[in-house]
Every structure is written in C-alpha cells, then in structure tokens.
Amino acid sequence: MKNKTYESFEAAVADIPDGSTIMFAGFAGPGTPRNLIAALLAQGASGLTIISNTPGRWADGEIVDLKVLVDAGRVRKAVASFTAAPHPSMSGVFAELYEAGKIEAELVPQGTLAERIRAGGAGLGAFYTPAGVGTELAEGKEVRSFDGRDYLLELPLRADYAMLRAHRADELGNLQYVHTQRNFGPIMARAAHTTIVELDLPIVPAGEIDPDHVHTPGIFIDRMVVVPADAIQETVRNG
Amino acid sequence: MADRIAMEFEDGWVVNLGVGMPTLCSNFVHPEREITYQSENGLVNYGPLAVEGEEDPNLVNAGGQYVIPIPGMAVLDHADAFALIRGGYVDVTVLGAYEVAANGDLANWRLAGRKGGGIGGAMDLAVGARNVFVMMEHTTREGAPRLVERCAQPITAPGVVKLVATTLGLFEITPDGFVLREIAPGYEPDEVQAATGARLIVPPDLREFQTRA
C-alpha cells in the first residue's frame, strides 16, 4: 500500500515548482485548505495559476486563504467566478492588481467553473452550457443550438496540483467531507495530477469508512496531512 | 421587498436566494406553504440562519452565512449543485441587480468601466431557474434609474427577469414592458414613473404594496 500520509504541511508542498497550476477547494470558508496555503506561502513558489471560486477574501484580517498568496505576489493568473468583490463597497489587493493590469484573470460563471473542473477530471474534451449565452462572456466562443436553445462551448480545466480540506480519511485516502466543506473538493480531487488534502480528524485504517459512504475515493488522493490541534481550524467568523 | 417577493413563492417550490437582500426572503415565508431552499454551494433543504452560538463552521449558504440543518437536508458537490440549477429543478431564484431592462435583460455582475466583476452563480441561475425575480433599490445612490429601457451595464442573461420588487413598487415584465402591479405606500404613479428609465404601464387595478398582516 502506497503511503499517502505526510507528517507536515511543509513536506506535502515541498516539491511544488514555480509556475504551477493549482486548484484550491473551498467556498466562503468551509473546505478551504488553509494550512496547505500557509505552507505554500512559506515554501515560496511563485508565478502560480490558481483555480478557485474566488481569489481569496476581499476584506482585510488575519484569516489565511488565497488572499495571502495574492498579496505576496505569488499569483500570476487567477481562474475564478469573481475578479471583483461581490459588492462595490469591498475591494482588496486582487481587485486593485487586476484593475491595474498587474495580474491576469479569467472570469468564469460558477456553474461553468465547476463543470469545467468536473469535465477535466472526467476525461471529456468539452461541453456546451446555456450559461453566458448573449453576454460578453460569449465573445470568441462557439455557440451551437440544440433543440432550439443556444449553448456555449466550454473547455475542461486540469491542474498540476489540487488542495482541499476534508473531514476524515482512511489510509487509502477514501474521504468524507462534512456539510458544505464538500463544495469543490470531489471534482478538484479528480482534475489534478497530484491532489493534497488536509484533514480535520486522524486517519483511520482501511475498512473503517463504509464504502457506501465514501465521498471521494482514495484513488484520486495522493497526499494527506492531518491538521494538528494547534494548526488552523475552520472557525465561525463574525461578519 | 423581501416580504413581498416571498409572497410569490408557491407551495412546493424550490427556491434559490442570492447574496445580500434576497436572503431575507427566507424570514417571511407563509407557514402553510412548503418551500425547499437550495444553495449553489451544495445544499438542498437547509434551515434558517443560525443564531449566535449555534453556528457550525462547516455549514454556510451561498452568501457565506451560517445556517442550521433541518431534517431532510442533503449535501451535493459543486458540479451537482449546478447540475440541479441548470437542470431545471429550481422554481425561482431571487437575485440582486444593477439594472433590469423592459425586455427582461438582467445586469448584475460588472459595472461598465470596471475590468473586474463578480458573477458567482448568477449566470447559471439566470438561465437555469424557471423564474427569475429581482430585488433592488429603485435608483442608484446617484439617483439614476435601475429599471431601464435597455441595460447600460453588461448583462448577465438576456430576457430572463419576470418580476422586480424595488423600494417603490412591484413590477411585472410583460411583452409590452414594465407593468406597475403594486406601489409603495405614500407614492403616486407619476412619481414612480419619474424615477424609472422606461415607460411604465399602470393598470386600472393598481394596488398598494401587499404585505402579510
């Protein structure tokens, strides 16, 4: 049995080279691999292309998410469903860099983003979606009509690495998530060459997780690190 | 506004609420109507907003607000959550907007003149939900109308909005344009027309904003 368990976040991200494309799970907190992001920041890889729902939070504060990589200048390009804050009253470093032309971005409707990631992990060449038809996002894309409705051709996304947070795993990497921690985890785990997961709970022996209750099969998981009690936990944020 | 929009939810509907004001709709639903709330980050059948001390750090709605689980809740991954949306299983989405046009065009993801935007799930919801309702202030902070003949802001989806609640009234979008169905207390139709960037049809049965007693 291949040992997928790493003793530290540092070791789990040590080989990630400059210029890598990395998918990061997480939506509004739950599922964000905060400890892996902190380790990647310390490791120093730069020129990264990040694929995620947002390029980090828009507000200031001490919370570790993709904002720390953006603020440190490690990100060359972001593929996300937000390139500006959801409300004009919020801003953030990413938005300032993007408006100034200092960072690249590809803005993708969230459902299209999820499906492109799913398609990337599912071996598909492309798919057609109705989202974005008749908008400026359709510019340059093939439009095709099926049964009288127009659809846009969208291409799959793959990555060198994916990073996610899950609730628990067995030693083979069979994962369970808790509630909305799941979000992009299952689809990103399949769409990357190397998938790294941080875990809420200690790793259990094979057979401890009911096979009918596995959310992400271990075949998609390459590296696991259990989050120690003194590392970053997902906590309730106010405001 | 949230109260008025929520009155339109029919028994058995699956409802998706956008970030911001629309999330308030879940507070006003008729107790005798069974409504299922869906959230694009992968929740079906979730409960009300969590009160302080009851939050689960791993249970949020699409607005990032902590919600409480209810019996029958189900969790999906992000691709399945949007399959549900595009697949036609959502009866209504309630979204905020910058502008809505008389032909039903929705603009809510980017302000003209800015490079960045925030689409989130709006483009998928706008084409996937059976009904698109909008809640917004009637005018911008500078006093410009948000109900317009043609959107000046880049659109999210063409011709999808059916109903709009603003601070001044309830507007139905028909093949002939905006129909003022209900008006906020203390306003006259010509005042609402003056604050609107498209012709309003004022029917003889115009009513005051209806809210539950």
Side-chain angles (χ1 to χ4, degrees), chain B residues 17 37 75 78 80 83 88 96 106 113 123 135 138 154 158-160 168-169 188 190 205:
Chain B
L17 301 176
Y37 288 102
V75 180
H78 233 84
D80 281 351
L106 169 68
M123 286 193 182
M135 276 174 65
H138 196 81
V160 293
L168 298 189
E188 294 297 327
D190 55 347
D205 60 344

Side-chain angles (χ1 to χ4, degrees), chain A residues 107 109 131-139, chain B residues 97-112 118-119 122-123 126-127 148-161:
Chain A
L107 182 62
V133 169
T135 76
E136 64 181 48
L137 265 70
E139 288 166 19
Chain B
Y98 296 134
E99 288 178 340
V100 174
N103 62 358
D105 287 2
L106 169 68
N108 77 350
W109 69 275
R110 183 172 74 80
L111 287 168
I119 301 174
M123 286 193 182
V127 300
V148 294
E149 192 58 40
R150 286 287 176 275
C151 289
Q153 309 295 345
I155 67 166
T156 306
V160 293
V161 180

Side-chain angles (χ1 to χ4, degrees), chain B residues 31-53:
Chain B
E32 66 272 20
R33 293 185 196 166
E34 192 177 295
I35 302 294
T36 299
Y37 288 102
Q38 185 270 348
S39 187
E40 59 265 33
N41 59 323
L43 284 181
V44 181
N45 225 352
Y46 63 92
L49 299 181
V51 298
E52 200 178 332

Side-chain angles (χ1 to χ4, degrees), chain A residues 27-31 53 81-90 97-103 107-112 114-115 118 129-137 149 167 178-187 190 200 234-238, chain B residues 19 39-43 52 54-67 69 73-80 82-83 86 98 108-111 113-128 141 154-158:
Chain A
F27 182 100
N53 187 49
S81 76
F82 291 87
T83 51
H87 194 272
S89 64
M90 295 181 269
L97 290 171
Y98 185 53
E99 295 294 326
K102 291 176 179 167
I103 199 164
L107 182 62
V108 185
Q110 202 174 108
T112 301
E115 192 63 16
R118 196 193 74 78
T129 177
V133 169
T135 76
E136 64 181 48
L137 265 70
R149 190 178 193 194
H167 192 51
V178 61
H179 296 332
T180 55
Q181 187 185 53
R182 189 179 316 191
N183 61 72
F184 287 92
I187 52 174
R190 300 192 298 243
D200 293 342
E234 191 62 43
T235 55
V236 172
R237 292 156 294 115
N238 296 311
Chain B
V19 178
S39 187
E40 59 265 33
N41 59 323
L43 284 181
E52 200 178 332
E54 278 187 0
E55 303 102 330
D56 178 331
N58 284 309
L59 187 53
V60 298
N61 65 18
Q65 297 163 303
Y66 296 100
V67 295
M73 186 173 81
V75 180
L76 298 80
D77 71 38
H78 233 84
D80 281 351
F82 277 94
R86 288 187 311 264
Y98 296 134
N108 77 350
W109 69 275
R110 183 172 74 80
L111 287 168
R114 290 202 194 180
K115 200 172 156 193
I119 301 174
M123 286 193 182
D124 307 274
L125 285 160
V127 300
R141 227 169 271 175
I155 67 166
T156 306

